[in-house]
Amino acid sequence: MKILTATEMQSVDRWTAEEFGISLDRLMEAAGGAVAQFCLRQYPAAIRVVALCGKGNNGGDGFVAARVLAQAGRLVRVVLLGRVTEVKGEAATALRKLREEFSSVAVDEVVDEGGLTACAGVMNEAELLLDAVVGTGFKPPLRGLAVSLRGMVEGLGTPVVAVDLPSGWDANSKEQTAAGSFRADGVVTFTAPKIAHVFGHLTRNERTGGVFGPVVVAGIGSPEDAVVSASGFSWAGSSKAMAERPRDVNSNKGRFGHVLVVGGSYGKAGAPAMASLACLRTGAGLVTAAVPKSILDLVAGIAPELMTVPLAEGTKGSVSFKNLDGAKLDALVKKISVVAVGPGLSTEGDAPAFARQIVEKTSVPVVIDADALNAFEGKTELLHGEGRVMVLTPHPGEMARLAGMTVKEVEADRVGLARRFAMEHKLTLVLKGWRTLIAHPDGSIAVNTNGNPAMAKGGSGDILTGIVAGMLAQYPNDVARAVETAVYLHGLAGDYAAHAMDEHTVLATDTVTHLSDAFRYRVVDADGLVWICGLRS
């Protein structure tokens, strides 16, 4: 699923009409109908509905939604910011159809503050509000009556479903928040997500304890050929379909790869143990943990299915360079499909040089995380994926060390930095954080839209490393989608964990517990809506 700018979305609509003969009226009918169906399904008990509509096409979508809701037996009222005579084009057609078919639906024309105050009682009685004031084509900030209306909505506890975008949000914004925009409990957009849908936190409602509400995409008839994007952005969740295919009934463990997890040091047995457990739960056929001998029993205790290999130790319980002598490395990586190196590895003694050498001397796909990433600080010229598969999974601090900059500088240009680094080093870069980015060697970037603050715990990165390695072992010929799926599954499992528990109490291993829920989850619901944010029941 491509991610579009506001201008690209307008081009899609225009091309759909001009080249494919699907009129803008039909697109508006489909869009408003999708909003109404979402409301009926998500808020079945909401009988009194007030549609807050502007005079443009976003308002037109709201008029259609109001009509469909009225057809379904809801008591609908429209608050129009402006006069009926000021509504033009397709929106005027939608409004006229609403008034002709349902004369019982009152349309309150609001042209001044007094008119808005007169609508306060109607809004107070509403059980659901539709925000259809302005949409994708709007350039902030809101002005005039829209600002006053936003203040009224903010003071209500009524759920709000935004049509296309919460009014006042810039569709092209990569910012997490947008001061001055309407709040929303759910968002229904059309055809494809825009930049703001994937980077913005559109539906966090402090009134509901910070619960993440749904953001969904409805297809409204635009052919796939009409959806053109120059940004190089896509949605990571689109790749998850690869993890939904049933396995061949005539399967064996050899078909699903053998992962070698290399890491650990004295006091850090948990990191390689968690990575190994996550790898097993993701579906790898075999997983072996190569860890310092002193912690081997602790790591082995994570799961009886896990195989282990003891590594010679050097300074402070970290791995020794002796492990790479002679035929030891060949024996270590024999029949291995993927190497995941770094979890708990330490930066003491030989560990950094050991990490660099194992990356250099192995030719199988490699996932590099944690202290193995730190081993390349100032030596990033050694990181090159030409002719092999290399995946890096840094958090902003690790990325800052690799790039020779501050964390603040990393966060200021996450997209640009991730794209440049991936292209220059010909590897896949998973830059973790708010809206984790998966940057590929060709310059394309997939954006992940799930995950939550409950995952801000030690061990979460180790779990992700294991999931990435497990997916690569099973899908070695589809690297980009395998990594995107891994990141999406990790965040989705974290969302399930946070839903089942209080977000303060979630541990990294709880995400592994909920991996089965993540695998079973389908991003497309029974109505054909694609859920890019939020969990549906």
Side-chain angles (χ1 to χ4, degrees), residues 169 173-178 194-204 212 215 434-435 447 449 533:
W169 209 300
S173 173
K174 296 187 183 75
E175 297 299 317
Q176 182 177 341
T177 58
K194 271 57 77 181
I195 300 290
H197 290 115
V198 296
F199 285 101
H201 195 172
L202 307 183
T203 57
R204 185 177 179 97
F212 291 59
V215 178
W434 169 256
R435 296 318 192 219
V447 185
T449 52
C533 294

Side-chain angles (χ1 to χ4, degrees), residues 102-463:
F102 291 94
S103 57
S104 60
V105 175
V107 177
D108 297 305
E109 297 175 296
V110 176
V111 296
D112 54 31
E113 294 287 345
L116 196 57
T117 301
C119 293
V122 172
M123 292 172 59
N124 284 331
E125 293 177 359
E127 296 164 311
L128 179 65
L129 297 173
L130 296 187
D131 167 17
V133 180
V134 289
T136 293
F138 177 77
K139 292 295 183 184
L142 291 172
R143 294 180 176 84
L145 290 175
V147 175
S148 300
L149 179 59
R150 176 185 58 86
M152 292 175 66
V153 171
E154 192 67 31
L156 300 174
T158 313
V160 179
V161 172
V163 178
D164 199 15
L165 270 172
S167 291
W169 209 300
D170 184 346
N172 294 330
S173 173
K174 296 187 183 75
E175 297 299 317
Q176 182 177 341
T177 58
S181 65
F182 276 57
R183 67 174 177 85
D185 298 275
V187 177
V188 183
T189 191
F190 315 112
T191 304
K194 271 57 77 181
I195 300 290
H197 290 115
V198 296
F199 285 101
H201 195 172
L202 307 183
T203 57
R204 185 177 179 97
N205 186 353
E206 301 299 339
R207 296 177 180 276
T208 57
V211 172
F212 291 59
V215 178
V216 303
V217 181
I220 58 173
S222 294
E224 187 174 343
D225 289 346
V227 183
V228 178
S229 171
S231 68
F233 287 126
S234 63
W235 176 55
S238 301
S239 294
K240 197 254 180 182
M242 76 184 314
E244 298 172 2
R245 298 195 292 263
R247 289 181 165 181
D248 192 311
V249 68
N250 184 23
S251 292
N252 62 75
K253 62 190 177 187
R255 295 182 61 177
F256 305 116
H258 187 170
V259 176
L260 178 68
V261 177
V262 183
S265 56
Y266 183 76
K268 296 182 179 178
M274 287 186 287
S276 299
L277 178 64
C279 193
L280 285 165
R281 285 290 187 194
T282 302
L286 293 168
V287 180
T288 297
V291 298
K293 185 177 179 180
S294 64
I295 66 170
L296 187 142
D297 289 344
L298 290 172
V299 174
I302 195 75
E305 296 86 354
L306 178 63
M307 298 181 290
T308 55
V309 172
L311 296 178
E313 297 181 33
T315 305
K316 296 182 181 180
S318 61
V319 295
S320 168
F321 208 70
K322 295 177 182 178
N323 294 289
L324 300 179
D325 291 346
K328 290 184 178 179
L329 178 61
D330 293 337
L332 190 62
V333 299
K334 185 178 181 181
K335 297 184 179 180
I336 293 297
S337 308
V338 177
V339 173
V341 58
L345 189 66
S346 165
T347 56
E348 300 286 347
D350 291 344
F354 171 85
R356 291 192 294 269
Q357 284 294 300
I358 201 167
V359 169
E360 179 184 349
K361 293 185 176 182
T362 57
S363 59
V364 298
V366 60
V367 182
I368 308 173
D369 185 36
D371 284 333
L373 289 171
N374 294 327
F376 289 91
E377 182 178 359
K379 296 179 172 62
T380 54
E381 72 278 1
L382 302 177
L383 289 172
H384 46 84
E386 184 75 55
R388 67 177 302 184
V389 174
M390 183 177 289
V391 181
L392 275 57
T393 60
H395 58 56
E398 292 160 344
M399 190 70 239
R401 288 188 284 276
L402 286 174
M405 56 178 57
T406 66
V407 171
K408 186 175 182 180
E409 289 171 330
V410 170
E411 295 287 52
D413 186 24
R414 285 168 53 83
V415 169
L417 175 60
R419 178 174 277 141
R420 288 193 300 273
F421 198 95
M423 294 179 71
E424 289 172 7
H425 295 271
K426 302 184 188 311
L427 49 76
T428 297
L429 180 77
V430 178
L431 181 53
K432 295 180 285 195
W434 169 256
R435 296 318 192 219
T436 292
L437 305 176
I438 305 99
H440 300 296
D442 64 358
S444 63
I445 292 181
V447 185
N448 191 52
T449 52
N450 55 25
N452 60 81
M455 302 172 74
K457 298 276 181 71
S460 286
D462 304 310
I463 300 297

